[in-house]
Amino acid sequence: FNLSKNFLEEIPASIGSMGNLSILKVDQNKLLDLTPAVGDCINLTELVLNENLLTRNRDQSKAKMTNFITQLR
């Protein structure tokens, strides 16, 4: 699911209900937080977050994911 370059300030909590989501690209936005609901995407294997303003909740969400690759630059 590609949400890159959309000036997003947040990822909706409803993203957690997307159980079959395997790739989430939210790079080049204005995200400050990574909603913990991302951790509910149990099939997520790739999460692209580079070029955002993330400062909070990242560790909480990552702890809930067992299969993911995070690209932070």
Side-chain angles (χ1 to χ4, degrees):
F1 199 68
N2 191 342
L3 294 172
S4 301
K5 301 178 186 178
N6 281 293
F7 300 100
L8 297 176
E9 295 181 4
E10 65 182 2
I11 300 171
S14 60
I15 196 83
S17 66
M18 298 180 74
N20 291 324
L21 185 67
S22 61
I23 298 172
L24 179 57
K25 296 181 179 185
V26 288
D27 56 307
Q28 300 178 13
N29 281 292
K30 297 184 179 285
L31 300 175
L32 295 173
D33 285 337
L34 179 59
T35 178
V38 171
D40 294 329
C41 298
I42 59 172
N43 290 310
L44 194 64
T45 58
E46 184 174 351
L47 176 59
V48 182
L49 297 167
N50 53 302
E51 297 184 43
N52 276 290
L53 306 171
L54 294 172
T55 57
R56 302 169 289 204
N57 290 340
R58 186 171 51 204
D59 292 334
Q60 181 182 1
S61 294
K62 283 169 48 174
K64 290 183 75 176
M65 292 181 232
T66 56
N67 300 312
F68 76 99
I69 299 168
T70 304
Q71 298 176 3
L72 292 175
R73 297 183 188 156

